[in-house]
Amino acid sequence: DTALPDGSAAAAYLEEPTRPLPGSDATTTQRLAALRTAANARAATALESGHQRGDRVFELTLPTGFGKTYTGLRAALQVADKRESRVIYALPYTSIIDQVDANIRDIFDVVPTDPAYTKHHHLADTRSTLDSSTIDKPSSGRETLHAEAWRSQLVLTTFTQLFESVAGPGNVQSTKLPALQDSVIIVDEPQALPHEWWELLGRLTEYLTTEYDATILFMTATQPRVLESLPSAPTPQSLVDLHGECAAVIANEPRVTFELHDSLIAHLDERDAPPLSLTDAAAELEPELVGARNTLTVVNTVSSAVTMTEALSEVDRLHLGSELLPYLQAPGTESPSAEDYLAHLAEEQSDPEGVILTLTTRLRPADRRLLLDAVSRVLDPDTTTPFDDVPTMTVSTQLIEAGVDVSFDRLYRDFAPLPSLVQAAGRCNREFGDPPAPVTVWRLDRPEDDDYVPRRLLYGDDSLVRPTQRALSPLRTGQAETHLSGGRGT
């Protein structure tokens, strides 16, 4: 409904996808609305026409905040509808499924137990039934079979469920195979795949398109090289070509500014330089817990998140998850909500000096979703909560890097491959309305009781980390400037 400078609404691009886009005289809000809607319409048209030509492998690349999820989902559903098939939407981690699940529920007014929609991973209660009275009862097996066989029109799942079912299915996994026929498969954030999976991804892509006539759509904000030349598979056809227009919006109003911390600069200059201890890192974060700032720090392991949280803890600081269990167990909490939980917290500690939230995969998905909803309300300027004027520090693992629609003012990110740095930066200044958010990339040490460097445990040294080191090295002395997801390297 956004009104554009010519008096039309952004929705006009749904009927005329190629009509001219607003220029630099338009506001950022107008340009964003036009780009998001045009990309949405163009992708749907391009996917359908490409499919009719016989193409089966596509890619959709849009920067964070330009509507990639909705764009890809609409295009895929449109083709699946005409094929009388289904959309299988695969994500790398269970931890980022919740946000996409929330979007799907909101748009289509469905729940994962609806026969038309399935959310399937190893932590989900995967079943389908129209009788809500049976949800809390043991499964008879029939509704579980429908869901685990992916018979719904829309399936939300993980890379593991998808690729293991194709590469080496057991008895249970093989029940999914008929659902792959004629399907449209969305592979969201393929840059999260380990480097050693790249060749396998190409082989599985070829297998799915030739044996099942499936359509594969790779969606990403970071253009990983894996899409340029998938071994054994066709080069993906691009659905939209709006890179220049998106870059112009970002250049006009940069979202973030990247800064290399001394601990990382020392490592780029001399690989044996010691990393920054988590205790010292927490001390550097202390100044952020003033005013009404909201800061995000992303670490590489759960133990690092726990250690960082402990170092930041003080008596007068409120841990957002500290009262979650008592709240859920209290009488009358049959339908927990973020609003009610924040009110409960305010009764327990009405005037904290700071709020700390820790997010890891050790949390149950339902608990993680409630805490994310709570911090989202605290950070939303249009929502009133008891903690609006309290500084907030969120300590998270990589689970927050993709599919989480929460916007922060400041980010600290432990050293990681470039796509992860860009994805994490996408959690800052998501609507472009504030000055560029500072993003500091540093190199953190392991917790005292661990015997490994967290970065090496997750990413190794020989796949994506070394290219990232080469890319960042010119920036350490100010020799170059780069734009990463709208940020300027300094």
Side-chain angles (χ1 to χ4, degrees):
D1 296 329
T2 302
L4 303 180
D6 64 1
S8 65
Y13 287 97
L14 296 177
E15 300 296 331
E16 301 177 69
T18 59
R19 66 184 306 217
L21 293 162
S24 57
D25 57 322
T27 66
T28 301
T29 299
Q30 291 173 327
R31 297 174 76 183
L32 278 172
L35 276 168
R36 288 167 174 163
T37 313
N40 193 298
R42 293 182 189 186
T45 301
L47 185 62
E48 185 174 351
S49 59
H51 190 276
Q52 291 175 350
R53 292 193 306 268
D55 295 331
R56 290 296 181 267
V57 185
F58 302 87
E59 62 98 0
L60 172 62
T61 301
L62 287 170
T64 300
F66 283 81
K68 173 173 57 69
T69 300
Y70 290 138
T71 296
L73 186 57
R74 177 171 181 258
L77 286 168
Q78 186 168 295
V79 170
D81 185 54
K82 293 195 173 183
R83 304 199 82 189
E84 297 183 354
S85 182
R86 61 188 44 80
V87 171
I88 299 169
Y89 193 129
L91 286 156
Y93 314 117
T94 58
S95 55
I96 63 176
I97 281 181
D98 291 342
Q99 181 68 40
V100 178
D101 173 47
N103 293 340
I104 290 172
R105 293 187 189 207
D106 182 55
I107 294 171
F108 299 109
D109 191 25
V110 293
V111 294
T113 54
D114 192 309
Y117 170 52
T118 292
K119 182 171 73 169
H120 185 203
H121 55 80
H122 73 289
L123 295 175
D125 182 15
T126 306
R127 64 171 81 181
S128 298
T129 178
L130 291 173
D131 185 358
S132 59
S133 66
T134 65
I135 295 302
D136 295 326
K137 298 178 181 179
S139 170
S140 66
R142 181 180 301 174
E143 64 269 25
T144 301
L145 178 62
H146 176 97
E148 293 189 349
W150 290 2
R151 296 178 183 175
S152 302
Q153 285 78 27
L154 176 57
V155 177
L156 182 63
T157 189
T158 61
F159 288 176
T160 299
Q161 292 287 345
L162 173 63
F163 296 136
E164 285 190 356
S165 297
V166 180
N171 288 338
V172 175
Q173 292 170 323
S174 65
T175 62
K176 307 185 187 80
L177 297 181
L180 301 175
Q181 185 68 41
D182 300 327
S183 63
V184 182
I185 300 173
I186 297 175
V187 180
D188 199 355
E189 311 296 355
Q191 76 280 352
L193 283 165
H195 187 248
E196 54 267 24
W197 277 45
W198 284 16
E199 185 173 354
L200 175 62
L201 177 63
R203 295 174 64 185
L204 294 181
T205 298
E206 180 189 31
Y207 181 71
L208 285 165
T209 55
T210 56
E211 299 298 326
Y212 292 93
D213 198 24
T215 302
I216 313 293
L217 172 58
F218 295 99
M219 297 202 312
T220 176
T222 53
Q223 299 177 333
R225 183 167 290 180
V226 63
L227 300 187
E228 294 179 7
S229 55
L230 285 173
S232 309
T235 299
Q237 301 298 306
S238 179
L239 294 185
V240 296
D241 183 16
L242 291 171
H243 177 75
E245 290 82 354
C246 293
V249 173
I250 292 171
N252 185 64
E253 192 167 348
R255 293 171 56 184
V256 300
T257 300
F258 283 83
E259 301 170 351
L260 304 186
H261 189 268
D262 289 344
S263 60
L264 179 56
I265 293 175
H267 174 65
L268 296 175
D269 290 336
E270 185 180 349
R271 297 298 163 83
D272 293 333
L276 183 69
S277 73
L278 290 168
T279 303
D280 290 341
E284 292 197 28
L285 292 174
E286 284 289 339
E288 301 295 335
L289 281 162
V290 296
R293 294 184 186 179
N294 63 83
T295 303
L296 169 65
T297 177
V298 179
V299 295
N300 285 328
T301 63
V302 173
S303 58
S304 295
V306 172
T307 302
M308 181 75 79
T309 301
E310 291 173 346
L312 289 167
S313 298
E314 290 186 1
V315 175
D316 294 329
R317 289 177 183 165
L318 171 67
H319 287 268
L320 201 61
S322 61
E323 288 293 317
L324 189 56
L325 182 59
Y327 167 73
L328 294 175
Q329 291 179 334
T333 318
E334 288 78 10
S335 300
S337 70
E339 184 177 7
D340 289 343
Y341 180 56
L342 289 171
H344 172 83
L345 283 172
E347 293 178 359
E348 298 298 320
Q349 192 170 351
S350 60
D351 190 25
E353 293 184 358
V355 172
I356 298 176
L357 170 62
T358 306
L359 295 171
T360 75
T361 52
R362 300 282 174 84
L363 291 163
R364 298 186 309 165
D367 297 339
R368 188 167 59 239
R369 184 166 54 248
L370 180 60
L371 291 174
L372 277 169
D373 288 347
V375 75
S376 180
R377 292 184 66 85
V378 172
L379 304 186
D380 185 356
D382 298 324
T383 302
T384 301
T385 75
F387 308 107
D388 289 344
D389 298 324
V390 180
T392 303
M393 177 69 68
T394 301
V395 182
S396 177
T397 56
Q398 303 92 325
L399 70 86
I400 204 168
E401 287 182 355
V404 177
D405 193 13
V406 180
S407 185
F408 296 88
D409 298 332
R410 182 81 165 90
L411 168 67
Y412 290 81
R413 178 61 169 95
D414 194 3
F415 186 44
L418 198 59
S420 294
L421 302 181
V422 174
Q423 289 293 131
R427 302 316 105 192
C428 292
N429 195 13
R430 290 183 62 79
E431 293 300 326
F432 295 82
D434 299 315
V439 174
T440 297
V441 184
W442 52 15
R443 181 169 173 259
L444 301 180
D445 201 357
R446 63 184 182 272
E448 289 186 4
D449 295 334
D450 292 340
D451 57 358
Y452 54 80
V453 176
R455 170 184 56 79
R456 289 181 178 173
L457 178 68
L458 263 68
Y459 307 114
D461 279 328
D462 298 325
S463 57
L464 299 178
V465 174
R466 287 186 178 177
T468 300
Q469 291 171 338
R470 291 195 296 270
L472 295 182
S473 289
L475 305 182
R476 70 189 187 280
T477 56
Q479 296 172 0
E481 184 177 81
T482 186
H483 293 270
L484 306 175
S485 186
R488 294 174 179 161
T490 59

